[in-house]
Amino acid sequence: MDEDLTEMTCEELLDEVRQLRQAIREHRDCSEHDLCWHHPALWRLLPEKTDPVPVVPEWPAFMRGCIKYRQSLDEQAPDAPRSDEPYQE
């Protein structure tokens, strides 16, 4: 799956790491309705050590956001496979 890494130059690898770090930071720093999951294990991959406490919406507002997100999946990926599997913790 990561075979492409062996063919990258040092500069390409550095650029890839910078992009990955930026994506992780953007996820780490989101809150309220932009927050999908709290991933401190992912954030520990960054050189700066921080585990910010997110601002969490109250349940009714949070559930409206979940429904909006699910509706956006119908719009953006109408042909994606569907599942009836219950959520497993």
Side-chain angles (χ1 to χ4, degrees):
M1 177 181 280
D2 294 324
E3 296 80 17
D4 62 320
L5 296 175
T6 61
E7 299 176 16
M8 290 182 169
T9 66
C10 182
E11 190 56 41
E12 289 171 327
L13 287 169
L14 289 172
D15 187 52
E16 186 75 12
V17 169
R18 287 182 189 105
Q19 290 178 51
L20 289 169
R21 285 182 172 181
Q22 183 58 33
I24 293 169
R25 287 180 182 110
E26 288 174 14
H27 176 78
R28 177 198 64 196
D29 297 340
C30 68
S31 64
E32 296 195 34
H33 294 294
D34 292 331
L35 181 66
C36 293
W37 297 100
H38 190 71
H39 286 294
L42 181 64
W43 305 335
R44 280 193 285 276
L45 298 174
L46 296 171
E48 67 271 14
K49 301 304 176 200
T50 180
D51 186 2
V53 177
V55 175
V56 180
E58 293 295 337
W59 276 108
F62 180 78
M63 293 308 297
R64 284 191 299 275
C66 289
I67 292 167
K68 186 73 173 169
Y69 171 68
R70 181 58 183 78
Q71 288 171 334
S72 75
L73 291 175
D74 281 339
E75 295 168 7
Q76 296 175 45
D79 299 324
R82 302 298 195 250
S83 171
D84 288 344
E85 290 292 317
Y87 176 72
Q88 301 291 322
E89 290 187 39

